[in-house]
Amino acid sequence: KAGVTQTPRYLIKTRGQQVTLSCSPISGHRSVSWYQQTPGQGLQFLFEYFSETQRNKGNFPGRFSGRQFSNSRSEMNVSTLELGDSALYLCASSFDREGTYEQYFGPGTRLTVT
Amino acid sequence: KQEVTQIPAALSVPEGENLVLNCSFTDSAIYNLQWFRQDPGKGLTSLLLIQSSQREQTSGRLNASLDKSSGRSTLYIAASQPGDSATYLCAGTGGYGQNFVFGPGTRLSVLP
């Protein structure tokens, strides 16, 4: 079974631009979560989508948004990029059955904002 | 707000040693707990999941336990190897449908 895939793997953008990152979950998984990882803040939760609906949201500004499609693939968008948005963005998928909620992570997208 | 600490922050041991990594949650009501390893610049690899009805899980040389009364978890690595060198992160969720909260990680170096 194929793992979680993320595209692109690396991205360089300029301040003020916007960016869209994509995540394809493991087949059959309905939940996709997004995280931002930086050396100073560690792994911080952005949001989670389950069956095309945002189920949980972290404490990030509205510049960060996401969506999930009917095939469970998810995208996250960051508008008006700031230097502090430079980070490794990770997505994780889960089958999500009550009592068992195991997350599987993709390789991440390394975003550099200059 | 759930907060997670991991002790120690970094650890360097000679090959062959048994070691224990610790994880502690401010809110002890942990529904599911998961341990991960992360190699530099890579994504996270799931090691062990302790489900809501469990207190312990084992996989090969790894054993994880969760004390739900205190909100503390330990990851035991037996007979450590240089290939175990990585950052180990714990994460917990407070209930079904809630997001995971991650600890800052323990950076492990196993010296040959």
Side-chain angles (χ1 to χ4, degrees), chain B residues 35-112:
Chain B
W35 280 92
F36 299 87
R37 69 173 280 168
Q38 185 177 30
D39 295 289
K42 308 288 187 182
L44 278 66
T45 300
S46 178
L47 297 173
L48 292 165
L49 170 72
I50 299 178
Q51 301 177 29
S52 56
S53 59
Q54 299 171 332
R55 295 293 181 269
E56 188 175 3
Q57 271 289 0
T58 297
S59 176
R61 296 181 293 108
L62 305 180
N63 173 274
S65 63
L66 173 62
D67 180 348
K68 292 200 172 187
S69 65
S70 65
R72 293 179 180 176
S73 178
T74 60
L75 177 66
Y76 176 82
I77 302 176
S80 58
Q81 303 171 358
D84 295 331
S85 297
T87 296
Y88 290 79
L89 300 107
C90 66
T93 177
Y96 175 67
Q98 297 182 23
N99 60 280
F100 275 87
V101 179
F102 278 80
T106 292
R107 191 171 68 252
L108 173 65
S109 295
V110 181
L111 308 174

Side-chain angles (χ1 to χ4, degrees), chain A residues 24-43:
Chain A
S24 292
I26 292 171
S27 178
H29 285 192
R30 296 183 298 167
S31 166
V32 174
S33 297
W34 288 90
Y35 296 87
Q36 180 195 66
Q37 187 176 36
T38 59
Q41 298 296 318
L43 253 168

